Amino acid sequence: MSAVICGSLAFDTIMGFEGRFSEQILPDQLHILNVSFLVPALRREFGGCAGNIAYGLRQLGGTALPMATVGSDGSEYVARMKTLGISTEFVREVADSYTAQAMIMTDRDNNQITAFHPGAMMQAHVTRIEARSDIKLGIISPDGRDAMLQHAEQFKAADIPFVFDPGQGLPMFDGQELAHFVELASWVTVNDYEAKMLSDRTSLSCDQMSRRVKGLVVTLGAEGCEVWIDGEKTLVPPIKAEAVLDPTGCGDAFRGALLYGLEQGWSLARCAALGNRVGALKIATRGGQNYTLNSDQINS
């Protein structure tokens, strides 16, 4: 069984700020904000939601079909995906454009400030989703606005169940559009902040939303996650990480595990439990695609 993963492929420039953002940003001076952060640590990683989710799913032994775009500078990324055994069938190069770029700054408390240049991602809607016998599952993760809207409709038309994972793309849509995504989706996954925004914009509580889909997952970081099914909430406990080095890509690692469990026909709570475990393993490594998984780690 294959899973189509709609979203971004991006290069992440990750910077480490040794202080706290809260000590540098004065709440009563936000109207004249002018701050500068010294970042002694800097590195460049392969990232983007589609890339990170595909990496996690592949690490677990699943079949990932990322549907994404890269710019003329993306050949290195495409080559790496092939080396990892990830299909590039639905990865398209857009000439005269850069691959999406994320500039991520993390403080000592693992708070993050991100600037994102979409680049080639804005042409992601050109690639269409079609019904195919081996494709049984999909996910809509943050992508170009048109791509998210059109791919959701195409998944539904092709009768392919999919996860709606709006992430950082959530603010692009109004309440009516978000409610329509929920109507089309089979599952919804958000973090606790996104859950509040999604509820505010759609006027749907988690209880109500979970009655419109097969299940809703709300991740809570170090507190685990909530799984909502037909209005009933189950708290899936967290897995303590051996080290907390970098939160970048933790949510995507969780979603890769979620897709793997859904491919296997597991209950949503079991899928989420695996997501918590993989997220804990990922946060102990730097970057979104540098962790490795083995059966002992996954099943312990």
Side-chain angles (χ1 to χ4, degrees):
M1 182 187 297
S2 302
V4 174
I5 302 170
C6 299
S8 61
L9 296 177
F11 292 115
D12 292 342
T13 299
I14 303 172
M15 297 161 280
F17 173 54
E18 296 178 348
R20 293 184 172 91
F21 296 143
S22 61
E23 296 171 349
Q24 303 292 320
I25 300 174
L26 303 177
D28 61 343
Q29 298 296 309
L30 289 178
H31 62 294
I32 53 170
L33 185 64
N34 187 357
V35 294
S36 177
F37 301 99
L38 177 66
V39 288
L42 184 148
R43 66 187 190 280
R44 192 168 188 250
E45 303 281 2
F46 297 97
C49 292
N52 291 344
I53 295 170
Y55 179 88
L57 179 56
R58 180 65 183 137
Q59 282 282 306
L60 289 161
T63 303
L65 297 174
M67 180 173 284
T69 50
V70 296
S72 55
D73 60 339
S75 58
E76 181 185 5
Y77 203 144
V78 174
R80 180 175 185 271
M81 293 173 72
K82 291 178 179 178
T83 299
L84 292 169
I86 298 172
S87 171
T88 59
E89 177 182 357
F90 297 134
V91 176
R92 189 170 54 85
E93 181 181 322
V94 178
D96 301 321
S97 182
Y98 287 111
T99 301
Q101 314 275 328
M103 314 295 178
I104 304 167
M105 183 161 48
T106 305
D107 75 0
R108 65 186 300 176
D109 293 330
N110 285 314
N111 297 308
Q112 291 186 321
I113 296 174
T114 301
F116 187 75
H117 170 67
M121 190 185 80
M122 298 307 292
Q123 299 299 316
H125 61 281
V126 175
T127 309
R128 292 183 53 84
I129 293 163
E130 305 285 354
R132 207 171 75 181
S133 60
D134 63 315
I135 298 173
K136 303 298 184 183
L137 191 63
I139 186 169
I140 300 285
S141 65
D143 205 349
R145 173 183 162 82
D146 290 342
M148 293 178 73
L149 289 167
Q150 293 178 30
H151 288 160
E153 296 284 358
Q154 291 162 13
F155 271 132
K156 188 68 173 180
D159 198 26
I160 300 172
F162 72 93
V163 179
F164 177 47
D165 168 33
Q168 307 97 314
L170 198 155
M172 293 190 295
F173 305 101
D174 62 25
Q176 184 176 355
E177 290 167 329
L178 291 167
H180 188 54
F181 275 120
V182 173
E183 178 186 345
L184 296 174
S186 297
W187 304 272
V188 175
T189 180
V190 286
N191 64 29
D192 48 353
Y193 181 84
E194 294 157 0
K196 179 66 166 59
M197 183 182 294
L198 185 58
S199 290
D200 287 348
R201 294 199 174 185
T202 61
S203 299
L204 295 171
S205 66
C206 288
D207 179 330
Q208 294 169 323
M209 206 178 308
S210 71
R211 297 178 189 274
R212 300 189 177 202
V213 292
K214 291 182 180 180
L216 165 68
V217 179
V218 181
T219 59
L220 308 172
E223 303 303 315
C225 65
E226 297 172 352
V227 171
W228 291 80
I229 298 177
D230 290 330
E232 296 292 328
K233 179 178 71 173
T234 300
L235 180 64
V236 180
I239 301 294
K240 184 176 177 57
E242 293 183 1
V244 179
L245 294 182
D246 181 9
T248 306
C250 278
D252 296 330
F254 181 98
R255 283 146 180 80
L258 184 69
L259 288 178
Y260 177 79
L262 291 173
E263 281 186 353
Q264 306 305 308
W266 294 356
S267 71
L268 196 57
R270 184 180 177 189
C271 296
L274 178 62
N276 287 345
R277 182 169 299 280
V278 174
L281 292 167
K282 192 260 95 86
I283 205 171
T285 63
R286 300 194 185 280
Q289 300 180 24
N290 294 321
Y291 61 98
T292 56
L293 303 175
N294 58 56
S295 58
D296 291 340
Q297 289 174 311
I298 296 166
N299 298 319
S300 61

